Amino acid sequence: SRSLLAESMASQVAAEPENAVAQRDLTAALQSASLTYSWLGKRDDQRRVVEEALGINHALRAADPENLQTVRDLLSMLQASMSVLTPRELDTARARVTEMEALAKRLAEEGADANLARESVVMAHDTVATLLTQAGDFTAALAENQTVVDGLARLVSDAPDSERLSVRHAIGLVDR
């Protein structure tokens, strides 16, 4: 079951299927609902709304590939979607990281939100490392963690005044 807000947004999208703003609003409402389901421990409902929002974001991107907002939205939803994956879905996780890397590259080429996009990709790699650890593939998890540490180091060097990134990098070094 969706939230009332998501239901209202879905009705608006149904009434105006070409309305990209209404579709983006719906994905935001679905993402909010996914957080609520996560807090409630309702993983199946969380997964369902995340995958629905991801599908909408993919469709918006396909309909308007030059629109940087659709790139940002899809990147954000891909990152959010990583939280519903299990160790059995490592191939899906890796495919999503690859897609996120391409989206981040596109944003960097346009000079738009490059560091934020790169940080999203690094955190997706962190999720893959966690899934690998849960699957018992510690060698691959260590290699993936190195990717995280290296990515955070690059982010910190590009934004040396970012205390948040510096702390993430330090934690990554400790976790290694």
Side-chain angles (χ1 to χ4, degrees):
S1 63
R2 297 177 180 162
S3 69
L4 290 176
L5 178 59
E7 286 297 332
S8 172
M9 295 288 105
S11 295
Q12 185 177 356
V13 168
E16 300 176 69
E18 300 302 314
N19 185 339
V21 173
Q23 290 181 38
R24 280 198 309 274
D25 289 347
L26 175 57
T27 63
L30 290 169
Q31 197 165 5
S32 267
S34 81
L35 292 173
T36 301
Y37 289 135
S38 174
W39 294 326
L40 294 172
K42 295 184 172 190
R43 300 268 303 156
D44 291 341
D45 288 330
Q46 180 188 14
R47 173 184 288 277
R48 187 180 39 71
V49 296
V50 162
E51 295 297 333
E52 181 179 352
L54 187 56
I56 294 167
N57 276 295
H58 273 119
L60 287 168
R61 171 91 169 108
D64 191 1
E66 298 305 312
N67 184 329
L68 292 182
Q69 187 60 51
T70 65
V71 175
R72 287 184 199 97
D73 292 347
L74 180 54
L75 181 67
S76 175
M77 200 63 236
L78 282 163
Q79 182 181 9
S81 76
M82 297 293 285
S83 68
V84 301
L85 299 177
T86 67
R88 292 186 319 269
E89 298 168 296
L90 274 164
D91 290 341
T92 299
R94 287 183 176 122
R96 288 182 181 174
V97 168
T98 299
E99 185 176 2
M100 289 174 72
E101 289 169 339
L103 293 169
K105 180 180 178 187
R106 170 84 166 88
L107 288 172
E109 289 168 354
E110 297 293 329
D113 304 324
N115 280 345
L116 184 61
R118 286 179 28 222
E119 184 180 352
S120 293
V121 172
V122 168
M123 296 295 70
H125 278 286
D126 186 59
T127 301
V128 171
T130 300
L131 293 173
L132 287 163
T133 300
Q134 291 170 346
D137 190 345
F138 302 114
T139 302
L142 183 60
E144 196 70 27
N145 274 320
Q146 186 61 54
T147 300
V148 172
V149 170
D150 293 346
L152 286 170
R154 281 190 300 280
L155 285 166
V156 168
S157 73
D158 290 346
D161 295 334
S162 174
E163 184 177 326
R164 182 180 55 76
L165 287 174
S166 295
V167 168
R168 275 192 169 177
H169 182 242
I171 290 169
L173 289 172
V174 170
D175 284 348
R176 246 182 80 204

